[in-house]
Amino acid sequence: MPAIPSQPSAPPPAPAPAPASGSLAQAPGSPAPGRPPRRTAFAEGVERLRAAAVTEPGRLRTIGAVLALLVVAFGAVTAWQVTERAAAADDVLHKSRPLSAAAADIYRALADANTAASSGFLAGGQETKASRDRYEQDIRTAAAGLVTAAGSSDPGSPAAATITRLNRLLPEYKGLVERARTYNRQGFPVGGAYLRYANEKMQQQMLPAAEDLYTKENERLNADYADATPYPWAAIALGVLALAALGWAQHRHYRRTHRVLNHGLVAATTAAAVVLLWLVVGHSVARADLDASRERGVRSLNVLQDARIASLKARGNENLTLVARGAETTKDGKDLYDTSFRSDMAALDKSLAEARRLADDRAGAQPVTAAVANMAEWNRRHDAARGQDEAGEYQKALDGVIGAKGATGECFDSVDAHLATALAHEEKEFRQAAGDGLDALGGLAWGAAVLAVLGAAAAVLGIGRRLSEYR
């Protein structure tokens, strides 16, 4: 039987064609041709957030975050601005005004010491213990005031330089006065020259320096007022914006759900409204009280201080008129010290008129009115004493100035005492008004911060309650 031929085996597979020249092999894991490249994880996350934001839950989350941020920002800015203003108001009451008063006391003490020195010189060997004690007390008061001012001034500041200069001039002045007294007791005319030199140092160097210190402290006081009184417009604007945003969110909630109230949003609105009302009313009251303390307190105090200083300078020049006995004259031949006396009395009259205009109650006006009457009598007695001096009756003129009864010294002491009473009253008025202004800001900064945090939490809870409906 013939053999059956076997089936031929399958032909081997043809080899794969070689890639065309210049083509690149496809990398494993790369997208197939025609498909877009896969995005990064960050880009996909952003896309998912964008898609979620256009949904109602996403919008609610965004609204809640914005509302919480606005309320917290409102509370933070309110606390910041109120804290700054309260600190400035505290400086007005406890720092800058007391330093201004201390500078005025330094000036007054120096001027009064000069007056007491000239009065004691005129008395000669009969200088009273009271006159000597007054001079020594004035020197101690001025020295103590300079120590206080030095401790409160900034190192290297103009005020510190002025204080250093006064500390150097004070012992020089005291040494000149002591020499004048020594020579005067011995009957040497050179004592009068030493006293005039001491007065020149006081009038031309020490009192201008003390006045400069007083001016600088008043500028510091005015700067504190300028920091304490402006309205906190940034906080007010943020408060209005926060309330507007909360109102819009509640209106949107009502339109979509027909529910009148959302407890969380209502609580947040209430907290923001309370802070805004507290801020506006509290600061308005504080501003009014601080303005009152400046207009009816500080202005009156400054005018009264000017009047008291003018009276002291007038008294010193009146005494020096008798000490110099015509040795010092003006260019037109008039007595230098008598001319200065009349100029000082004119300044006193002007200051008293302004003080009487600013006095807003009987307790403040009465001592000023009395001082005006004393000033008129002082002028009358001074003219009489000048007449005696020009007629050659020196002893009678001396008795008319420093005598025990009916002298101009009585009028000066009465003017000074009435001005001291008026100053004490106006200082009390200032402290009351400035203290009320500071109290009006009390607790506002902390209250605003706490209410803002509670309001932000309430807004988030209110939005969260709405979000729970989608779960």
Side-chain angles (χ1 to χ4, degrees):
M1 174 175 185
I4 299 174
S6 60
Q7 296 270 348
S9 60
S21 175
S23 64
L24 296 175
Q26 183 176 344
S30 61
R35 294 183 181 179
R38 183 170 179 172
R39 292 173 300 173
T40 63
F42 176 78
E44 290 181 353
V46 171
E47 183 63 28
R48 283 195 297 270
L49 288 175
R50 186 180 302 166
V54 298
T55 64
E56 182 61 14
R59 293 191 188 97
L60 288 174
R61 291 187 181 93
T62 302
I63 291 171
V66 171
L67 291 177
L69 181 62
L70 277 175
V71 174
V72 169
F74 170 44
V77 173
T78 298
W80 165 53
Q81 291 196 306
V82 168
T83 299
E84 283 192 335
R85 283 154 179 77
D90 186 76
D91 285 344
V92 165
L93 182 60
H94 297 118
K95 192 172 183 180
S96 52
R97 171 55 203 167
L99 286 175
S100 176
D105 287 342
I106 291 172
Y107 192 109
R108 188 205 63 79
L110 291 175
D112 193 57
N114 199 46
T115 299
S118 59
S119 297
F121 185 90
L122 286 174
Q126 289 76 40
E127 181 181 7
T128 63
K129 182 178 184 300
S131 175
R132 178 74 182 187
D133 289 344
R134 180 171 180 171
Y135 167 80
E136 295 293 344
Q137 180 60 44
D138 286 332
I139 293 296
R140 286 194 296 269
T141 299
L146 289 172
V147 171
T148 301
S152 303
S153 62
D154 297 327
S157 65
T162 301
I163 294 167
T164 301
R165 185 183 178 201
L166 283 170
N167 276 322
R168 176 178 57 81
L169 290 172
L170 186 60
E172 295 178 6
Y173 168 82
K174 189 174 181 182
L176 290 172
V177 170
E178 292 305 323
R179 286 188 181 184
R181 280 177 169 161
T182 300
Y183 287 124
N184 187 45
R185 290 192 188 100
Q186 296 174 3
F188 295 151
V190 72
Y194 271 105
L195 187 65
R196 291 195 300 272
Y197 185 35
N199 176 73
E200 181 180 339
K201 183 178 288 291
M202 176 65 74
Q203 297 289 347
Q204 296 183 8
Q205 299 182 51
M206 299 177 70
L207 289 182
E211 184 177 8
D212 181 62
L213 180 63
Y214 177 58
T215 300
K216 286 182 173 63
E217 295 301 340
N218 270 339
E219 290 174 354
R220 184 175 179 179
L221 175 61
N222 291 332
D224 286 336
Y225 269 115
D227 291 338
T229 54
Y231 274 104
W233 292 115
I236 292 173
L238 272 175
V240 172
L241 181 61
L243 284 176
L246 286 164
W248 171 84
Q250 290 176 86
H251 180 68
R252 182 182 184 277
H253 174 75
Y254 170 74
R255 288 179 57 190
R256 289 179 175 270
T257 65
H258 298 289
R259 297 171 187 170
V260 178
L261 297 177
N262 178 293
H263 293 166
L265 294 179
V266 170
T269 303
T270 302
V274 168
V275 173
L276 183 60
L277 184 64
W278 190 0
L279 172 64
V280 173
V281 174
H283 188 274
S284 296
V285 172
R287 179 188 175 97
D289 287 332
L290 287 170
D291 285 342
S293 73
R294 176 165 52 183
E295 293 299 318
R296 298 197 300 269
V298 173
R299 286 186 62 190
S300 294
L301 286 167
N302 288 342
V303 170
L304 289 169
Q305 290 284 9
D306 291 342
R308 200 175 189 189
I309 288 168
S311 70
L312 287 165
K313 292 171 71 174
R315 179 61 177 172
N317 283 314
E318 183 179 47
N319 290 338
L320 287 167
T321 301
L322 295 177
V323 171
R325 298 190 181 186
E328 301 285 345
T329 59
T330 61
K331 292 181 179 179
D332 54 0
K334 295 181 180 180
D335 188 284
L336 174 64
Y337 297 112
D338 187 59
T339 301
S340 298
F341 166 82
R342 299 189 185 280
S343 176
D344 295 331
M345 292 298 280
L348 173 61
D349 181 56
K350 182 179 179 180
S351 296
L352 288 176
E354 180 67 9
R356 188 160 49 178
R357 186 186 70 81
L358 292 173
D360 57 350
D361 57 8
R362 185 173 179 275
Q366 187 174 7
V368 177
T369 302
V372 171
N374 294 141
M375 182 193 70
E377 179 63 17
W378 186 358
N379 274 320
R380 189 189 67 78
R381 294 184 183 184
H382 174 82
D383 290 339
R386 289 298 302 146
Q388 296 285 354
D389 188 29
E390 291 173 357
E393 299 289 344
Y394 180 78
Q395 186 59 47
K396 291 182 179 180
L398 191 62
D399 292 339
V401 173
I402 64 170
K405 187 176 181 180
T408 59
E410 292 179 348
C411 300
F412 162 72
D413 290 338
S414 184
V415 168
D416 191 67
H418 285 304
L419 288 176
T421 301
L423 280 164
H425 172 74
E426 295 300 334
E427 183 70 28
K428 181 180 178 182
E429 293 285 305
F430 160 77
R431 288 191 168 277
Q432 180 66 44
D436 290 343
L438 180 59
D439 291 341
L441 297 175
L444 178 52
W446 281 104
V450 171
L451 286 174
V453 171
L454 294 176
V460 171
L461 290 175
I463 295 297
R465 181 69 179 271
R466 181 81 177 88
L467 280 171
S468 66
E469 300 172 0
Y470 289 89
R471 296 170 184 167

